[in-house]
Amino acid sequence: MMDKRLEVRSVSKSFSGSNHARSYKVITDLLRSERSMRRTVLDNVSLSLRDGDRVGLLGRNGAGKSTLLKVLTGVTAPDSGQVLIEGRLLSLLEVGTGFHPELTGRENIFLSCAIFGRTKRESAALFDRIVEFSGIADHIDVPVKRYSTGMYVRLAFATVVHQPFEILLLDEILAVGDLEYQRKCVDKILTLTEKGTSTIFVSHNLDQIRRICNSIYLLERGILSGPFEVEDGIERYMHVLYSGGGSDHSGGRLKLSEFEVSPVSESQYIFRVRIRFLLSECHDEVRVGYTVRDSNGLELIKSLAEYQNLAFVEANRQYEVEQEFNAEGFIPGVYTVSAHGSIYGVEDFGLSRFASQTIEVTGNFTKKYLLESSPILYSPRQWKVRINV
């Protein structure tokens, strides 16, 4: 492996199963179907980690991210390929693993430390640091089955990060808990990586991805691509997430010919959206529009030119819709604008995703300060100031 901490070589994994409702099958048909149907979750996946690497693993739900981490930890065996590990690997893959529900927080700390190879004296020396980091000292002698999910994660994370390891795998574990503790965990991860710890971090929180990771892999339908620079990887992920890969869900009737998002001249916040499309057959209920989302996928603006505006769209003629939107209230950052289109009756008001572009909003106010309170939108306004009233 040379200088690599972890190396995945051409790993593939598939599962058997049927998509049909099991209640309508006799057992022999079910077994025959599951033998004949296999779903590929990982397809010839390869990646490597070196000391201090902070890899973000992005992908839609069901893309195979959790399966890959389970293969890396040995929970699931691959159908083919190899996983080579140099050093000690620790993981937090699911809330609820690692602790005995009937034991108290105190007892679980000592049990976990023993499993990690700590002596009783070493565990006792670590105990106060673990409890202090977790912030749940008042509940340490309560059985963990009484803990909230946030308390459970606090103690689990605090226990793990105080053990000796060279590789850390995290699967959405920081999605639970309050913002203050999430920031504390992120700072701890960055401190560990500065000392050489390698990390694979799975999350849909792109702000955390930006803070923690120095490279991105993208997993889509079992196929892994990368590594990418962080912003490049996030942009690719957003395109997959919100463009639907450029698929046409209107049965080929509605076609995008051009999509453009551009800033209006001499304006810092006004953007113009222009969509050109054509229809293969006449229809009087066409909807075309766009959606603006932030870096975490939160929908901020949606606008549609519906059939009231497009009274009757003739076949094989190109139409253009255009609109401007004001991003003055947006926090400085990168946003995704997606073009949509649908035909009523064809998709039951569903919106097929045509394409997407990213825009960058800048401003003269401090982004770091604003993110301390994590608002959705910032509203710059002129204030009236009165003195000696």
Side-chain angles (χ1 to χ4, degrees), residues 266-279:
E266 299 181 359
S267 174
Q268 190 177 8
Y269 301 108
I270 307 299
F271 293 85
R272 179 179 293 115
V273 178
R274 185 166 58 87
I275 303 170
R276 288 185 179 179
F277 67 97
L278 55 86
L279 211 63

Side-chain angles (χ1 to χ4, degrees), residues 238-272:
M238 296 292 282
H239 177 74
V240 168
L241 198 60
Y242 297 121
S243 72
S247 58
D248 180 6
H249 302 289
S250 294
R253 296 175 177 85
L254 187 62
K255 294 287 187 181
L256 174 76
S257 56
E258 189 173 347
F259 172 51
E260 181 184 21
V261 183
S262 58
V264 175
S265 60
E266 299 181 359
S267 174
Q268 190 177 8
Y269 301 108
I270 307 299
F271 293 85
R272 179 179 293 115

Side-chain angles (χ1 to χ4, degrees), residues 185-220:
C185 291
V186 170
D187 291 340
K188 182 65 175 179
I189 294 170
L190 293 176
T191 300
L192 291 171
T193 56
E194 289 173 0
K195 298 178 180 178
T197 299
S198 303
T199 304
I200 296 181
F201 182 52
V202 175
S203 179
H204 293 290
N205 187 320
L206 299 183
D207 286 331
Q208 289 182 354
I209 289 286
R210 287 187 173 95
R211 281 203 63 194
I212 292 174
C213 303
N214 55 18
S215 64
I216 299 291
Y217 281 89
L218 183 61
L219 190 59
E220 174 65 13

Side-chain angles (χ1 to χ4, degrees), residues 23 43 49 200 272 375:
S23 58
D43 188 1
L49 282 182
I200 296 181
R272 179 179 293 115

Side-chain angles (χ1 to χ4, degrees), residues 109-110 113 118-129:
I109 289 175
F110 279 94
C113 288
R118 299 283 194 181
T119 66
K120 189 173 182 179
R121 178 176 294 180
E122 290 173 334
S123 301
L126 282 174
F127 179 80
D128 288 342
R129 290 161 55 188

